[in-house]
Amino acid sequence: MSNTMSTQKEIEKRRTFGIISHPDAGKTTLTEKLLLFGGAIQSAGAVKNNKIKKAATSDFMEIEKQRGISVATSVMAFNYLDKQINILDTPGHKDFAEDTYRTLTAVDSVIMVIDCANGVEAQTERLMEVCRMRDTPVIVFINKMDREGQDAFDLLDEIEEKLAIKVKPMSWPIGIGETFKGVYNMHRKNLNLFDANKTAIERDIIKIDSLENKDLNDIIGEEDANLLRDEVELIDGVYGEYDSEKYLSGKLAPIFFGSALNNFGVQELLESFLEISPTPKGRETDLRKIEPEENKFSGFVFKIHANIDPKHRDRIAFLRIVSGKFERNKFYKHIRLDKKLKFPNPTSFMASTKEVVDEAYPGDVIGLYDSGNFKIGDTLTEGENFRFKGIPSFSPELFKEIQNDNPMKTKQLEKGVAQLTDEGVAQLFTMQPGNRKVIGTVGELQFEVIQYRLEHEYGASCSFTPKNFFKACWMTCDDQSKIDDFIRRKVGNVGFDKDLNPVFLAPSTFLLAQAESDYPEIVFHKNSEFKLDD
Ligand code: G4P
């Protein structure tokens, strides 16, 4: 087999996706059940510990423990049937939303878990917006059908309305909560019966050639059988045929129903997912779109994880391979640093044990040991000069000025802040006069993480003063003198990011609107994506 043909085969085998949900909808439980199918874990409960406990906002040890575990579960790769599955974990805690957004740039599709009682929740909506930014295909799993919840038709309406996406039920529930009897899979024309006492992976799936078949009355009772017939007819009329092209372009969400906790509907979800979900996709760069089939290797870093052992300063950079074949010990070009690097110990994340890999393919995520070369968003190539787009910094929502509490450790503090912000823990803005440093985050928890890690990893101590800003807007203008003028007048509200781009730190919606009308030539960007547009 020629080299390109074997690479093509590897690409087609791979499915790289994320599972997303509002906290508590069942993401962790579903992830764990999927891993059980792949034989990647032996027992339930293994992924569970990855959750940041709701009450842990000031429990530093808890944060540390979580960081340790989350390295192991950042990427979970396993084989199922003839496919290689890469699940990228996304933190559910809202304070880590930015981490989740970045991880979503490295997936090709997502499974969104919705709690049948709570329906579409705040975090679900936000995550959907991020998926829409790059038309990521979404499959919805409506979970907890063993509990009382909303009417299935109402849920579909709510999803279409709040998430602004068309839906297509692929399976349909028979009853809910106490009366839940199972689901009818319209795609495969079979019945999957629910029995709360049965938690084995294999269940009885009954093939039903036609819903008119009288056997159905015996299996689920006449009343439910008739209701199912009516509802399925209605669904066929309202939602029509499944349209694969619409799903793949992010316009239509196939819907499944089940109960992750009871391992019900999970295998069905997994197998349908493998049937319909996209193979690794290409990515845009500032030069051209790079397709996975290209011969030459390329990839980007979407996440950096510090070593939890403070004695070892090395970090792991997570690299998503976009094109070609990655090989161990081969020199690749680090575009931002214009430097050749090779990696003797790249790791894969198969079956939750880290092991050194010799080669990896598009769709794969590998871990690269790093002593400080990488920043989030960095591109590696086989030599060509281009940068992948689409790892923007989002506008933070909380801002605090950092104070050095130990003048003897100024260097350590500066180094620590620089490295932690490279890792994407928070964003750094420098303000004048005096080079004051303001940290911007999306959640309160990050400040505790920073303070704790500066102390434990860098020996520096700091405190924070809250700043009254509500958004960071990157500014661009064809006429630099307008920006200079703005900076002069609003010096107390302008910071510079790490690449020295000017950023308006707006104190309120009102004052942002006022700035926009006073300076119509200046564009105020809510995220840093514009940096790659030119
Ligand atoms: P998350 O990662 O999305 O935050 O949710 P997670 O899987 O941790 O699930 C949240 C809670 O919902 C857990 O209960 C879990 O057991 C429960 N759950 C998940 N799927 C189902 C389901 O299909 N049916 C029912 N009835 N419950 C489900 P918990 O009590 O908060 O946690 P734990 O004590 O079980 O760990």
Side-chain angles (χ1 to χ4, degrees):
M1 204 186 294
S2 76
N3 202 18
T4 41
M5 259 177 75
S6 66
T7 303
Q8 187 57 34
K9 266 201 130 148
E10 294 295 334
I11 296 172
E12 276 161 23
K13 265 171 68 172
R14 281 165 170 75
R15 296 291 186 282
T16 303
F17 70 103
I19 303 179
I20 54 181
S21 75
H22 189 87
D24 274 350
K27 178 177 78 80
T28 314
T29 313
L30 178 66
T31 307
E32 192 169 277
K33 298 295 150 94
L34 291 174
L35 294 181
L36 280 172
F37 280 110
I41 51 168
Q42 309 313 322
S43 67
V47 185
K48 203 82 214 171
N49 302 328
N50 188 27
K51 283 189 72 177
I52 293 197
K53 288 214 187 76
K54 293 136 221 164
T57 36
S58 54
D59 186 342
F60 306 117
M61 282 329 288
E62 193 60 27
I63 295 171
E64 282 300 281
K65 216 171 78 200
Q66 300 299 347
R67 282 206 305 131
I69 296 161
S70 65
V71 176
T73 61
S74 282
V75 182
M76 292 161 280
F78 62 95
N79 293 304
Y80 184 73
L81 303 176
D82 58 341
K83 299 287 190 292
Q84 180 177 325
I85 295 168
N86 301 314
I87 303 182
L88 273 49
D89 192 33
T90 57
H93 198 292
K94 77 165 178 22
D95 285 8
F96 290 97
E98 183 146 12
D99 221 22
T100 298
Y101 301 158
R102 281 192 296 253
T103 298
L104 291 180
T105 63
V107 304
D108 300 303
S109 70
V110 304
I111 293 179
M112 179 176 275
V113 185
I114 290 179
D115 180 324
C116 71
N118 298 341
V120 173
E121 297 175 82
Q123 196 79 333
T124 332
E125 286 187 61
R126 278 191 177 209
L127 288 162
M128 187 66 208
E129 278 166 31
V130 178
C131 291
R132 200 170 297 115
M133 282 169 70
R134 32 187 78 70
D135 299 322
T136 308
V138 178
I139 288 179
V140 173
F141 183 71
I142 298 184
N143 190 30
K144 306 197 188 179
M145 292 300 291
D146 59 316
R147 288 235 199 114
E148 295 309 320
Q150 300 180 39
D151 173 73
F153 283 106
D154 290 346
L155 279 168
L156 296 187
D157 286 349
E158 187 179 330
I159 293 170
E160 286 203 330
E161 193 180 309
K162 289 200 181 158
L163 300 184
I165 189 164
K166 291 266 164 244
V167 300
K168 164 69 189 166
M170 307 293 264
S171 68
W172 195 249
I174 304 158
I176 190 165
E178 285 279 288
T179 62
F180 183 56
K181 290 190 179 159
V183 296
Y184 173 65
N185 187 319
M186 289 155 337
H187 198 56
R188 300 187 167 184
K189 303 219 177 326
N190 61 33
L191 262 186
N192 189 358
L193 293 181
F194 178 69
D195 177 351
N197 300 318
K198 221 186 207 177
T199 48
I201 284 180
E202 289 303 329
R203 282 172 193 275
D204 304 327
I205 304 230
I206 304 168
K207 202 90 203 127
I208 291 278
D209 50 358
S210 155
L211 281 180
E212 297 313 316
N213 193 327
K214 287 278 175 280
D215 291 350
L216 188 64
N217 297 7
D218 302 332
I219 303 169
I220 59 172
E222 193 172 341
E223 199 179 321
D224 279 333
N226 285 333
L227 185 65
L228 180 65
R229 289 179 185 116
D230 289 348
E231 291 187 335
V232 168
E233 196 184 320
L234 187 63
I235 290 161
D236 283 345
V238 174
Y239 299 101
E241 289 286 301
Y242 166 66
D243 184 336
S244 150
E245 201 190 311
K246 284 206 176 119
Y247 157 66
L248 291 174
S249 58
K251 308 270 182 297
L252 176 105
I255 311 273
F256 293 86
F257 294 84
S259 166
L261 188 65
N262 293 289
N263 208 345
F264 183 81
V266 176
Q267 189 169 16
E268 172 180 42
L269 173 74
L270 177 60
E271 289 180 7
S272 307
F273 168 80
L274 293 179
E275 194 185 314
I276 66 177
S277 65
T279 54
K281 293 202 249 185
R283 293 286 188 283
E284 287 293 343
T285 72
D286 54 352
L287 194 64
R288 63 192 161 86
K289 188 172 180 195
I290 304 296
E291 297 295 348
E293 294 78 17
E294 292 195 20
N295 277 332
K296 295 214 157 86
F297 157 79
S298 68
F300 62 87
V301 172
F302 64 93
K303 184 185 178 104
I304 292 175
H305 222 299
N307 200 318
I308 33 168
D309 178 356
K311 287 195 237 35
H312 298 96
R313 204 39 79 67
D314 59 341
R315 317 186 283 184
I316 302 177
F318 290 78
L319 180 104
R320 149 93 196 209
I321 294 162
V322 178
S323 67
K325 178 162 90 172
F326 172 92
E327 289 174 74
R328 185 162 80 93
N329 269 330
K330 193 167 165 176
F331 276 100
Y332 292 118
K333 186 168 180 182
H334 185 307
I335 301 296
R336 183 176 52 85
L337 299 181
D338 190 19
K339 186 163 138 184
K340 297 236 152 152
L341 297 174
K342 69 172 179 172
F343 304 93
N345 299 307
T347 55
S348 80
F349 301 92
M350 286 303 284
S352 71
T353 58
K354 283 192 287 171
E355 50 189 51
V356 172
V357 281
D358 289 321
E359 52 190 45
Y361 295 91
D364 283 343
V365 172
I366 51 174
L368 303 176
Y369 287 100
D370 172 43
S371 50
N373 282 317
F374 286 115
K375 266 197 205 183
I376 284 180
D378 278 345
T379 299
L380 277 187
T381 76
E382 232 173 286
E384 200 178 342
N385 282 318
F386 57 76
R387 291 173 190 232
F388 285 102
K389 284 192 178 189
I391 314 233
S393 303
F394 289 86
S395 179
E397 284 155 24
L398 291 172
F399 298 85
K400 292 185 186 187
E401 186 172 330
I402 186 163
Q403 258 98 38
N404 184 2
D405 289 347
N406 182 352
M408 304 295 286
K409 301 278 180 177
T410 306
K411 276 233 162 68
Q412 285 84 340
L413 183 86
E414 284 187 358
K415 188 168 178 204
V417 168
Q419 291 201 351
L420 294 183
T421 48
D422 277 354
E423 268 179 46
V425 176
Q427 293 180 53
L428 179 65
F429 303 99
T430 305
M431 299 189 69
Q432 299 306 339
N435 282 326
R436 288 169 295 130
K437 293 195 169 19
V438 170
I439 307 262
T441 70
V442 288
E444 197 59 51
L445 197 50
Q446 266 82 350
F447 292 104
E448 295 178 27
V449 173
I450 291 169
Q451 203 169 34
Y452 179 88
R453 289 187 56 190
L454 282 175
E455 194 180 326
H456 287 79
E457 293 170 35
Y458 299 88
S461 65
C462 73
S463 51
F464 295 106
T465 325
K467 302 297 283 187
N468 189 21
F469 306 138
F470 98 106
K471 229 172 194 62
C473 300
W474 282 264
M475 293 184 282
T476 54
C477 184
D478 291 338
D479 180 358
Q480 180 62 33
S481 70
K482 295 271 192 276
I483 292 194
D484 293 342
D485 181 53
F486 186 91
I487 294 172
R488 247 190 328 272
R489 282 164 191 254
K490 307 237 183 240
V491 69
N493 284 89
V494 174
F496 292 86
D497 73 6
K498 291 179 98 177
D499 300 321
L500 303 179
N501 295 301
V503 182
F504 177 42
L505 302 169
S508 67
T509 330
F510 174 75
L511 289 170
L512 174 58
Q514 193 168 55
E516 280 172 328
S517 81
D518 289 351
Y519 290 84
E521 303 87 354
I522 299 181
V523 187
F524 294 88
H525 305 265
K526 309 287 188 304
N527 68 49
S528 66
E529 184 110 286
F530 70 90
K531 283 187 201 169
L532 286 165
D533 286 346
D534 38 55

